[in-house]
């Protein structure tokens, strides 16, 4: 399913062609830096620059024999370059190439994800303003609480996604590091100036200190940002799933003509996209854990992180790219039912005004405990008997000592629930 929806741009980031092209760029840049130091003759450098190339199929063929991807790659490049290839990969280790290219690839992926988040936020903002003044009941513990607006619900998602954008942008900057420091990070056979040259050309920052690899906390931050973004998508999707429940019915995913909800029950319209997204968020959470477990490695490096990263980097970025696109479409096409929202608001027959009555009694001089006891007494009668709250408030003898019928009616209006919505919107969107 992911492949069907994945846009080609993200998929291309993780192709062998793009990976090997990054490797080749780095190897050539290392040679250029050596040439500037007088360690590679100009004629050889000219030959390397003009002839250096690779063929994906040939690299994979050689790797069958070498059982080492970078060695296979270098051997294939040497077939193109000839004798001058003796200078390629001089003084460096495989991880110099692998990690520096990994940072480049992750930065490419991050650019796409950041664009995705921005596009989603635009949809959420438009939907939030369209539903800004649409009353709906707020729920805590799944139980009716006090009124909100549907636009306010969407605004929560927008604001959380804004923080994801900040995290993703910061994480992109964190992974923008390269290293060309040799087998254990001591520059024993490659001077730091080579690293500086390569990183500058690639638009990367020099990793201040590295072992054979770039420390994995750099990357763990990025995959954690991915997981957190996935959690927001899960939160958004969970809300759609709950609102689409038959008993609630306030919103639902768009249902196309000819779409099938169930193989057995023709009446079914299921929130399948939102359910899919909740499931995929679990994958992203797992990748974040794996990224953190990649941080503690043996001494100057072992290889246990490598196999995990080869799976998680493309899978996590492709999955989030897909998820952001799909959740964007869910909310862009979301079917919203204000009439059902109003009907649900009326289910408890005004019980959600209990806090307003509580506060009104406190203002009349009762202690909080006294006011709570009086209000709860009426509320529980209404809750258990399905009675109208305002009507029962007016009948209550104890409450009548403090609030007139007119005061009760004025207190039990919806206006005060929404008077600060505009302020909230300005804080979030302006």
């Amino acid at each position: 399913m992911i492949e069907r929806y994945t846009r080609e741009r993200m998929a291309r980031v993780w192709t062998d062609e793009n990976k090997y092209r990054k490797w080749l760029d780095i190897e050539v840049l290392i040679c250029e830096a050596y040439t500037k130091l007088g360690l590679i003759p100009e004629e050889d450098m000219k030959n390397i620059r003009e002839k250096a190339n690779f063929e994906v199929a040939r690299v994979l063929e050689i790797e069958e024999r070498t059982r080492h991807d970078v060695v296979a790659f270098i051997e294939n490049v040497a077939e193109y370059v000839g004798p001058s290839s003796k200078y390629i990969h001089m003084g460096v280790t495989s991880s110099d190439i692998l990690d520096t290219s990994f940072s480049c690839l992750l930065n490419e992926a991050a650019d796409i994800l950041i664009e995705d988040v921005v596009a989603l936020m635009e949809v959420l903002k438009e939907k939030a303003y369209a539903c800004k003044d649409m009353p709906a009941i707020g729920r805590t513990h799944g139980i009716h609480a006090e009124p909100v607006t549907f636009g306010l619900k969407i605004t929560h998602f927008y604001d959380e996604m804004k923080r994801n954008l900040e995290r993703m942008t910061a994480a992109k900057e964190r992974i923008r590091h390269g290293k060309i420091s040799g087998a254990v990070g001591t520059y024993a056979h490659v001077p730091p100036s080579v690293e500086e040259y390569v990183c500058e050309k690639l638009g990367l920052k020099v990793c201040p200190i590295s072992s054979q690899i770039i420390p994995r906390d750099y990357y763990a931050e990025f995959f954690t940002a991915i997981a957190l973004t996935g959690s927001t998508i899960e939160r958004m999707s969970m809300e759609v799933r709950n609102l689409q429940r038959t008993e609630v019915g306030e919103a639902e995913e768009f249902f196309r003509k000819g779409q099938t909800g169930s193989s057995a029950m023709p009446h079914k319209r299921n929130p399948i996209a939102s359910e899919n997204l909740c499931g995929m968020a679990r994958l992203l959470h797992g990748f974040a854990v794996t990224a953190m477990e990649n941080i503690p490695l043996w001494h100057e490096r072992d290889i246990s992180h490598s196999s995990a990263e080869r799976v998680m980097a493309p899978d996590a970025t492709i999955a989030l790219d897909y998820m952001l696109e799909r959740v964007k479409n869910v909310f862009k096409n979301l079917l919203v039912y204000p009439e059902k929202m109003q009907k649900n608001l009326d289910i408890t027959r005004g019980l959600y005004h209990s806090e307003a009555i509580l506060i009104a009694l406190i203002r009349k001089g009762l202690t909080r405990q006294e006011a709570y006891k009086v209000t709860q007494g009426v509320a529980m009668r209404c809750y258990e008997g399905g009675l109208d709250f305002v009507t029962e408030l007016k009948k209550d003898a104890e409450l009548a000592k403090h609030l007139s019928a007119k005061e009760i009616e004025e207190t039990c209006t919806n206006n005060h629930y929404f008077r600060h919505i505009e302020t909230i919107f300005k804080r979030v969107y302006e």
Side-chain angles (χ1 to χ4, degrees), residues 128 131-134 147-157 417 420-421 424-425 429:
C131 303
K132 183 178 75 171
D133 301 316
M134 190 180 292
V148 294
T149 73
F150 196 75
L152 197 62
K153 283 178 175 282
I154 305 299
T155 298
H156 276 286
F157 302 147
Y417 296 113
H420 298 303
I421 296 295
I424 297 171
F425 267 62
Y429 296 111

Side-chain angles (χ1 to χ4, degrees), residues 394-410:
K394 292 177 182 178
K395 288 186 195 178
D396 190 82
E398 184 62 30
L399 197 140
K401 297 176 183 177
H402 309 285
L403 293 174
S404 67
K406 183 180 179 181
E407 287 175 319
I408 290 171
E409 288 179 359
E410 290 175 347

Side-chain angles (χ1 to χ4, degrees), residues 184-325:
V184 290
T186 60
Y187 305 95
H189 306 289
V190 54
S193 61
V194 171
E195 181 182 63
E196 293 164 3
Y197 178 86
V198 172
C199 288
E200 181 181 359
K201 290 292 184 180
L202 293 173
L204 301 177
K205 295 181 288 187
V206 171
C207 191
I209 181 170
S210 54
S211 57
Q212 189 175 91
I213 62 169
I214 291 174
R216 258 40 199 176
D217 64 291
Y218 285 90
Y219 301 127
E221 183 173 343
F222 179 69
F223 287 103
T224 300
I226 285 178
L228 285 167
T229 305
S231 291
T232 299
I233 294 173
E234 183 177 16
R235 182 186 177 209
M236 295 165 64
S237 302
M238 187 79 76
E239 186 69 16
V240 172
R241 291 170 63 190
N242 275 314
L243 293 176
Q244 189 163 335
R245 290 165 55 212
T246 307
E247 296 83 0
V248 180
E250 295 180 6
E252 68 171 332
E253 293 179 9
F254 179 74
F255 195 82
R256 292 174 176 81
K257 185 177 181 180
Q259 185 175 335
T260 300
S262 166
S263 63
M265 296 168 284
H267 72 279
K268 296 278 281 178
R269 289 163 63 124
N270 301 327
I272 57 170
S274 299
E275 290 176 329
N276 291 162
L277 290 167
C278 286
M280 293 187 68
R282 299 168 191 168
L283 295 174
L284 300 187
H285 301 161
F287 290 138
V289 173
T290 302
M292 286 185 274
E293 290 178 344
N294 281 345
I295 295 172
L297 301 173
W298 286 18
H299 305 298
E300 278 60 57
R301 179 242 185 165
D302 63 61
I303 202 173
S304 60
H305 66 287
S306 178
S307 56
E309 287 173 350
R310 289 169 192 247
V311 174
M312 63 192 277
D315 281 11
T317 53
I318 288 173
L320 184 57
D321 180 42
Y322 161 79
M323 291 169 69
L324 286 164
E325 177 70 13

Side-chain angles (χ1 to χ4, degrees), residues 378-393:
V378 179
M380 290 303 101
R381 287 202 306 274
C382 294
Y383 186 89
E384 293 164 4
L387 305 174
D388 183 79
F389 188 51
V390 174
T391 301
E392 293 304 307
L393 288 171

